Amino acid sequence: MAAGGFCKLPSGSVVVALNLPSPTAPAPTRTGAGLDDVRVLVLAQNRARALTRLRNLGLRAVYLRGNAAPPTPDEITAVLHHPDGLIWRTAPDNSVPSIPERTELWHPIRSLLRRPPVRV
């Protein structure tokens, strides 16, 4: 099950954060968190709409059970300032302390779901 959580904003909207296996990675043969997991943030009117936005993009098996990994204040700021309200980056490894110089920037969801060009 993917770790995730949500935070309700004063405006009434919700920010949902989920750690998911990368859709571009090969089929998982492991258990637990992998190195190719991604952290996805979604801004929506409610939790159901946030999950629907992800399902409409092709991430079909996305569920939010509980609030074990809610978005941090920095993540909330990042998704609020993005025009699409839907961003991702590689999931942080909690066993290694975060180094500010190595922090990955947020990417639009289109870059994650982009298919490689077909060769004819």
Side-chain angles (χ1 to χ4, degrees), residues 1 10 16 21 47 66 80 88 92 111:
M1 178 172 26
V16 174
R47 287 180 288 171
L80 285 175
W88 73 276
S111 65

Side-chain angles (χ1 to χ4, degrees), residues 20-116:
L20 302 170
S22 176
T24 58
T29 57
R30 67 192 188 288
T31 57
L35 297 175
D36 53 0
D37 287 353
V38 294
R39 178 92 166 160
V40 178
L41 298 176
V42 184
L43 176 66
Q45 292 301 313
N46 56 44
R47 287 180 288 171
R49 285 189 182 188
L51 297 176
T52 299
R53 287 186 73 185
L54 290 173
R55 289 182 187 125
N56 288 342
L57 291 171
L59 302 172
R60 298 289 181 207
V62 176
Y63 297 98
L64 180 62
R65 292 187 174 96
N67 201 13
T72 64
D74 290 338
E75 291 175 336
I76 294 170
T77 302
V79 76
L80 285 175
H81 286 88
H82 195 273
D84 293 338
L86 189 56
I87 55 178
W88 73 276
R89 73 175 171 191
T90 306
D93 184 8
N94 292 334
S95 63
V96 178
S98 177
I99 300 172
E101 295 84 26
R102 294 187 183 174
T103 302
E104 182 182 0
L105 297 176
W106 292 98
H107 308 283
I109 199 71
R110 292 182 308 271
S111 65
L112 178 66
L113 302 175
R114 187 175 299 146
R115 306 278 190 252

